[in-house]
């Protein structure tokens, strides 16, 4: 964006960010109630590969929500 359109560019960026946040939160809402993935916590210690189990570790949920957008 050019210098003269800086405010408009900032507003467009805010609108894009709001859309991303709204979509990510909607994904998280759909995943609500699936449970915490305690085994993934142990995976960090043992360095064993993760398996899909229908539960979420905190950073997994955030990554999946943003990847879903």
């Amino acid at each position: 964006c050019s210098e003269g359109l800086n405010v408009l560019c900032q507003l467009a960026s805010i609108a894009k960010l709001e859309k991303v946040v709204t979509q990510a939160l909607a994904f998280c809402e759909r995943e609500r109630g699936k449970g915490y993935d305690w085994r993934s916590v142990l995976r960090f210690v043992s360095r064993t590969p993760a398996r899909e189990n229908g539960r979420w570790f905190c950073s997994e949920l955030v990554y999946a929500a943003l990847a879903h957008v």
Side-chain angles (χ1 to χ4, degrees):
C1 288
S2 68
E3 191 71 30
L5 296 175
N6 194 25
V7 172
L8 293 176
C9 289
Q10 288 176 351
L11 290 174
S13 294
I14 291 170
K16 288 177 188 175
L17 179 60
E18 287 176 344
K19 182 179 179 182
V20 167
V21 169
T22 299
Q23 291 175 349
L25 288 174
F27 177 86
C28 290
E29 284 295 324
R30 289 190 299 274
E31 298 300 305
R32 182 182 281 207
K34 290 197 173 178
Y36 190 78
D37 190 2
W38 290 102
R39 289 183 183 178
S40 285
V41 174
L42 298 174
R43 180 179 58 86
F44 283 112
V45 176
S46 66
R47 298 292 184 207
T48 58
R51 294 190 184 114
E52 180 63 39
N53 63 4
R55 295 176 177 261
W56 291 106
F57 183 65
C58 53
S59 58
E60 287 177 319
L61 179 60
V62 172
Y63 177 82
L66 292 174
H68 182 74
V69 173

